Amino acid sequence: MKNAPPPARRPRIAVVGSVDASREYEPALSATDQVGAACHELGRELALAGYDLVVFADDEHYVETLVARGYAAAAAPDARIIAHPPRHQDYAPDLPEGSRVRVTTVRDTGAEWEVPYYRTLFEVDGIVLAGGGRSTRVTGVVALAHGIPVVPLAAFGGAARQVWVYLDGSGEYVDREDVRALGESWSPGSARRITAVLRGQMERRAERRRARERARRWGRLRESAGLVGAILLLLAALASIVLAGGPGPADPVGLSLLLAGPMCAAVSGALIRDSFGPAPSALRACARGLGAGAVSVLLYVAAQLLTVPELLAELDARRLLFFVVPVGFTAGFTFDLVFERLRSPAGPQVAPAPTQSTRA
């Protein structure tokens, strides 16, 4: 019997923020009378959406504690609350009686809470911010800088409101409608809209990753195809030496092999050289290699005709190919470097002639 495939990993959503009335926040907290009900409703929507919840403490002043209660009340049996408390603390939340949610505590060996906290942020699929102070603001900035989907609830003030301001124009997967929804006052149905905004960001992030992966695969395929083509062309160039006949009057077959061999070698060299570049382009490499090969072989044959006018009357194509095939390959392989050097504003540099010393 075949083994069943492992269950798909559920998206993990971290909740960060605090609403401690004894602290001062910048910006100040607002609508604090709605925070409890809003967090409970938001936790319920996250559970219904099929997400796992990532929390860091069970203190009453942290919004994750309030969200966790709403989450546990509506969670399915396979739902999890994943707690990352500091090493010296336990996680013992006061969850609704009869809740089926599983609570998993993850311990970290770090002595400081910041290290495991920020490490965990890079492992989650989305972040919800509400209220909060400096750490919440830093969390939002980190999420925006690294493209982690983040939904700051501006309705309750605190650092989350400041992150909401940063969100406009800096969120990689955020559009204007998302920013508008996150800035509205809390009302019935807000939790569902917030969850939809989070889901939209996560889907756009996943699609962007898939597009990048497709581009990488296509790039690797093009590189492999270019190298295979280079190998075949080089073999064809070597085959021209084998197929060329002995000395005799020039005929179409001999002249064709004399021209085709080095040009195939030149295109092969250009393709190999192009595969090492930052932005490979097989078509551009073929055009440059073909031009380099044609120029090199024609210049060589023309030079031979000037010195040996009867060359075509007694053409030894095989002997010439032993020389022009390597010349063609070298021309194609180095043409890109020479072309870029010639195209540079400085142009080729000539070493200055030595001057006579004026010392006695």
PDB file of all heavy atoms in Angstrom, residues 18-39:
ATOM      1  N   SER A  18       0.381  45.560  21.472  1.00  0.00           N
ATOM      2  CA  SER A  18      -0.072  45.642  22.858  1.00  0.00           C
ATOM      3  C   SER A  18      -1.016  46.815  23.019  1.00  0.00           C
ATOM      4  O   SER A  18      -0.990  47.773  22.233  1.00  0.00           O
ATOM      5  CB  SER A  18       1.124  45.801  23.812  1.00  0.00           C
ATOM      6  OG  SER A  18       1.809  47.022  23.554  1.00  0.00           O
ATOM      7  N   VAL A  19      -1.850  46.739  24.029  1.00  0.00           N
ATOM      8  CA  VAL A  19      -2.806  47.817  24.356  1.00  0.00           C
ATOM      9  C   VAL A  19      -2.829  47.996  25.869  1.00  0.00           C
ATOM     10  O   VAL A  19      -3.850  47.830  26.524  1.00  0.00           O
ATOM     11  CB  VAL A  19      -4.218  47.503  23.812  1.00  0.00           C
ATOM     12  CG1 VAL A  19      -4.282  47.721  22.310  1.00  0.00           C
ATOM     13  CG2 VAL A  19      -4.631  46.071  24.144  1.00  0.00           C
ATOM     14  N   ASP A  20      -1.688  48.350  26.437  1.00  0.00           N
ATOM     15  CA  ASP A  20      -1.540  48.528  27.874  1.00  0.00           C
ATOM     16  C   ASP A  20      -1.904  49.959  28.234  1.00  0.00           C
ATOM     17  O   ASP A  20      -1.216  50.911  27.828  1.00  0.00           O
ATOM     18  CB  ASP A  20      -0.104  48.214  28.275  1.00  0.00           C
ATOM     19  CG  ASP A  20       0.093  48.196  29.779  1.00  0.00           C
ATOM     20  OD1 ASP A  20      -0.864  48.548  30.506  1.00  0.00           O
ATOM     21  OD2 ASP A  20       1.194  47.828  30.220  1.00  0.00           O
ATOM     22  N   ALA A  21      -2.972  50.136  29.008  1.00  0.00           N
ATOM     23  CA  ALA A  21      -3.429  51.477  29.359  1.00  0.00           C
ATOM     24  C   ALA A  21      -2.444  52.231  30.237  1.00  0.00           C
ATOM     25  O   ALA A  21      -2.480  53.465  30.319  1.00  0.00           O
ATOM     26  CB  ALA A  21      -4.788  51.383  30.071  1.00  0.00           C
ATOM     27  N   SER A  22      -1.534  51.523  30.903  1.00  0.00           N
ATOM     28  CA  SER A  22      -0.570  52.179  31.787  1.00  0.00           C
ATOM     29  C   SER A  22       0.654  52.702  31.033  1.00  0.00           C
ATOM     30  O   SER A  22       1.502  53.368  31.616  1.00  0.00           O
ATOM     31  CB  SER A  22      -0.105  51.205  32.873  1.00  0.00           C
ATOM     32  OG  SER A  22       0.563  50.086  32.299  1.00  0.00           O
ATOM     33  N   ARG A  23       0.766  52.418  29.760  1.00  0.00           N
ATOM     34  CA  ARG A  23       1.907  52.871  28.965  1.00  0.00           C
ATOM     35  C   ARG A  23       1.518  54.047  28.080  1.00  0.00           C
ATOM     36  O   ARG A  23       0.339  54.283  27.809  1.00  0.00           O
ATOM     37  CB  ARG A  23       2.417  51.734  28.078  1.00  0.00           C
ATOM     38  CG  ARG A  23       3.131  50.621  28.779  1.00  0.00           C
ATOM     39  CD  ARG A  23       3.528  49.547  27.792  1.00  0.00           C
ATOM     40  NE  ARG A  23       4.262  50.101  26.640  1.00  0.00           N
ATOM     41  CZ  ARG A  23       4.593  49.418  25.545  1.00  0.00           C
ATOM     42  NH1 ARG A  23       4.226  48.134  25.445  1.00  0.00           N
ATOM     43  NH2 ARG A  23       5.259  49.988  24.567  1.00  0.00           N
ATOM     44  N   GLU A  24       2.534  54.767  27.663  1.00  0.00           N
ATOM     45  CA  GLU A  24       2.323  55.834  26.692  1.00  0.00           C
ATOM     46  C   GLU A  24       2.748  55.338  25.313  1.00  0.00           C
ATOM     47  O   GLU A  24       3.812  54.734  25.172  1.00  0.00           O
ATOM     48  CB  GLU A  24       3.124  57.083  27.068  1.00  0.00           C
ATOM     49  CG  GLU A  24       2.626  57.769  28.332  1.00  0.00           C
ATOM     50  CD  GLU A  24       3.354  59.076  28.575  1.00  0.00           C
ATOM     51  OE1 GLU A  24       4.212  59.445  27.724  1.00  0.00           O
ATOM     52  OE2 GLU A  24       3.076  59.717  29.599  1.00  0.00           O
ATOM     53  N   TYR A  25       1.930  55.593  24.331  1.00  0.00           N
ATOM     54  CA  TYR A  25       2.197  55.143  22.969  1.00  0.00           C
ATOM     55  C   TYR A  25       2.313  56.341  22.041  1.00  0.00           C
ATOM     56  O   TYR A  25       1.681  57.386  22.275  1.00  0.00           O
ATOM     57  CB  TYR A  25       1.082  54.224  22.463  1.00  0.00           C
ATOM     58  CG  TYR A  25       0.991  52.896  23.180  1.00  0.00           C
ATOM     59  CD1 TYR A  25       0.264  52.758  24.364  1.00  0.00           C
ATOM     60  CD2 TYR A  25       1.632  51.781  22.673  1.00  0.00           C
ATOM     61  CE1 TYR A  25       0.166  51.539  25.015  1.00  0.00           C
ATOM     62  CE2 TYR A  25       1.549  50.547  23.310  1.00  0.00           C
ATOM     63  CZ  TYR A  25       0.818  50.444  24.480  1.00  0.00           C
ATOM     64  OH  TYR A  25       0.742  49.227  25.120  1.00  0.00           O
ATOM     65  N   GLU A  26       3.101  56.178  21.011  1.00  0.00           N
ATOM     66  CA  GLU A  26       3.259  57.216  19.995  1.00  0.00           C
ATOM     67  C   GLU A  26       3.131  56.577  18.618  1.00  0.00           C
ATOM     68  O   GLU A  26       4.012  55.784  18.222  1.00  0.00           O
ATOM     69  CB  GLU A  26       4.620  57.890  20.143  1.00  0.00           C
ATOM     70  CG  GLU A  26       4.895  58.974  19.111  1.00  0.00           C
ATOM     71  CD  GLU A  26       3.878  60.118  19.176  1.00  0.00           C
ATOM     72  OE1 GLU A  26       3.449  60.469  20.281  1.00  0.00           O
ATOM     73  OE2 GLU A  26       3.521  60.614  18.103  1.00  0.00           O
ATOM     74  N   PRO A  27       2.047  56.873  17.917  1.00  0.00           N
ATOM     75  CA  PRO A  27       0.890  57.681  18.281  1.00  0.00           C
ATOM     76  C   PRO A  27       0.081  57.038  19.411  1.00  0.00           C
ATOM     77  O   PRO A  27       0.225  55.851  19.695  1.00  0.00           O
ATOM     78  CB  PRO A  27       0.065  57.721  16.987  1.00  0.00           C
ATOM     79  CG  PRO A  27       0.990  57.245  15.903  1.00  0.00           C
ATOM     80  CD  PRO A  27       1.959  56.327  16.544  1.00  0.00           C
ATOM     81  N   ALA A  28      -0.776  57.826  20.034  1.00  0.00           N
ATOM     82  CA  ALA A  28      -1.564  57.337  21.163  1.00  0.00           C
ATOM     83  C   ALA A  28      -2.573  56.283  20.702  1.00  0.00           C
ATOM     84  O   ALA A  28      -2.991  56.255  19.540  1.00  0.00           O
ATOM     85  CB  ALA A  28      -2.292  58.510  21.823  1.00  0.00           C
ATOM     86  N   LEU A  29      -2.944  55.408  21.647  1.00  0.00           N
ATOM     87  CA  LEU A  29      -3.974  54.417  21.352  1.00  0.00           C
ATOM     88  C   LEU A  29      -5.319  55.099  21.128  1.00  0.00           C
ATOM     89  O   LEU A  29      -5.577  56.188  21.630  1.00  0.00           O
ATOM     90  CB  LEU A  29      -4.088  53.419  22.500  1.00  0.00           C
ATOM     91  CG  LEU A  29      -2.866  52.542  22.778  1.00  0.00           C
ATOM     92  CD1 LEU A  29      -3.144  51.637  23.973  1.00  0.00           C
ATOM     93  CD2 LEU A  29      -2.495  51.706  21.563  1.00  0.00           C
ATOM     94  N   SER A  30      -6.180  54.436  20.393  1.00  0.00           N
ATOM     95  CA  SER A  30      -7.515  54.963  20.129  1.00  0.00           C
ATOM     96  C   SER A  30      -8.503  53.806  20.082  1.00  0.00           C
ATOM     97  O   SER A  30      -8.122  52.664  19.840  1.00  0.00           O
ATOM     98  CB  SER A  30      -7.542  55.750  18.813  1.00  0.00           C
ATOM     99  OG  SER A  30      -7.137  54.941  17.729  1.00  0.00           O
ATOM    100  N   ALA A  31      -9.772  54.124  20.309  1.00  0.00           N
ATOM    101  CA  ALA A  31     -10.844  53.124  20.263  1.00  0.00           C
ATOM    102  C   ALA A  31     -10.505  51.898  21.103  1.00  0.00           C
ATOM    103  O   ALA A  31     -10.781  50.759  20.701  1.00  0.00           O
ATOM    104  CB  ALA A  31     -11.139  52.730  18.816  1.00  0.00           C
ATOM    105  N   THR A  32      -9.945  52.127  22.293  1.00  0.00           N
ATOM    106  CA  THR A  32      -9.526  50.994  23.125  1.00  0.00           C
ATOM    107  C   THR A  32     -10.716  50.183  23.637  1.00  0.00           C
ATOM    108  O   THR A  32     -10.555  49.009  23.989  1.00  0.00           O
ATOM    109  CB  THR A  32      -8.704  51.492  24.314  1.00  0.00           C
ATOM    110  OG1 THR A  32      -9.441  52.515  25.023  1.00  0.00           O
ATOM    111  CG2 THR A  32      -7.369  52.081  23.844  1.00  0.00           C
ATOM    112  N   ASP A  33     -11.899  50.784  23.663  1.00  0.00           N
ATOM    113  CA  ASP A  33     -13.072  50.047  24.120  1.00  0.00           C
ATOM    114  C   ASP A  33     -13.505  48.970  23.117  1.00  0.00           C
ATOM    115  O   ASP A  33     -14.261  48.058  23.458  1.00  0.00           O
ATOM    116  CB  ASP A  33     -14.232  51.012  24.371  1.00  0.00           C
ATOM    117  CG  ASP A  33     -14.575  51.835  23.137  1.00  0.00           C
ATOM    118  OD1 ASP A  33     -13.647  52.278  22.434  1.00  0.00           O
ATOM    119  OD2 ASP A  33     -15.778  52.033  22.873  1.00  0.00           O
ATOM    120  N   GLN A  34     -13.003  49.051  21.895  1.00  0.00           N
ATOM    121  CA  GLN A  34     -13.362  48.080  20.867  1.00  0.00           C
ATOM    122  C   GLN A  34     -12.302  46.992  20.662  1.00  0.00           C
ATOM    123  O   GLN A  34     -12.535  46.033  19.929  1.00  0.00           O
ATOM    124  CB  GLN A  34     -13.585  48.789  19.522  1.00  0.00           C
ATOM    125  CG  GLN A  34     -14.751  49.754  19.491  1.00  0.00           C
ATOM    126  CD  GLN A  34     -14.891  50.399  18.125  1.00  0.00           C
ATOM    127  OE1 GLN A  34     -14.033  51.180  17.699  1.00  0.00           O
ATOM    128  NE2 GLN A  34     -15.958  50.068  17.422  1.00  0.00           N
ATOM    129  N   VAL A  35     -11.145  47.158  21.307  1.00  0.00           N
ATOM    130  CA  VAL A  35     -10.020  46.269  21.018  1.00  0.00           C
ATOM    131  C   VAL A  35     -10.349  44.819  21.333  1.00  0.00           C
ATOM    132  O   VAL A  35     -10.080  43.908  20.542  1.00  0.00           O
ATOM    133  CB  VAL A  35      -8.769  46.719  21.787  1.00  0.00           C
ATOM    134  CG1 VAL A  35      -7.668  45.664  21.677  1.00  0.00           C
ATOM    135  CG2 VAL A  35      -8.269  48.043  21.253  1.00  0.00           C
ATOM    136  N   GLY A  36     -10.945  44.554  22.506  1.00  0.00           N
ATOM    137  CA  GLY A  36     -11.213  43.184  22.918  1.00  0.00           C
ATOM    138  C   GLY A  36     -12.100  42.447  21.924  1.00  0.00           C
ATOM    139  O   GLY A  36     -11.773  41.341  21.466  1.00  0.00           O
ATOM    140  N   ALA A  37     -13.239  43.082  21.582  1.00  0.00           N
ATOM    141  CA  ALA A  37     -14.167  42.450  20.651  1.00  0.00           C
ATOM    142  C   ALA A  37     -13.554  42.321  19.260  1.00  0.00           C
ATOM    143  O   ALA A  37     -13.752  41.313  18.568  1.00  0.00           O
ATOM    144  CB  ALA A  37     -15.462  43.256  20.584  1.00  0.00           C
ATOM    145  N   ALA A  38     -12.786  43.344  18.849  1.00  0.00           N
ATOM    146  CA  ALA A  38     -12.172  43.304  17.526  1.00  0.00           C
ATOM    147  C   ALA A  38     -11.161  42.164  17.430  1.00  0.00           C
ATOM    148  O   ALA A  38     -11.131  41.430  16.434  1.00  0.00           O
ATOM    149  CB  ALA A  38     -11.505  44.648  17.224  1.00  0.00           C
ATOM    150  N   CYS A  39     -10.335  41.995  18.455  1.00  0.00           N
ATOM    151  CA  CYS A  39      -9.334  40.920  18.437  1.00  0.00           C
ATOM    152  C   CYS A  39     -10.004  39.545  18.458  1.00  0.00           C
ATOM    153  O   CYS A  39      -9.555  38.615  17.783  1.00  0.00           O
ATOM    154  CB  CYS A  39      -8.393  41.067  19.626  1.00  0.00           C
ATOM    155  SG  CYS A  39      -7.259  42.475  19.492  1.00  0.00           S
TER     156      CYS A  39
END
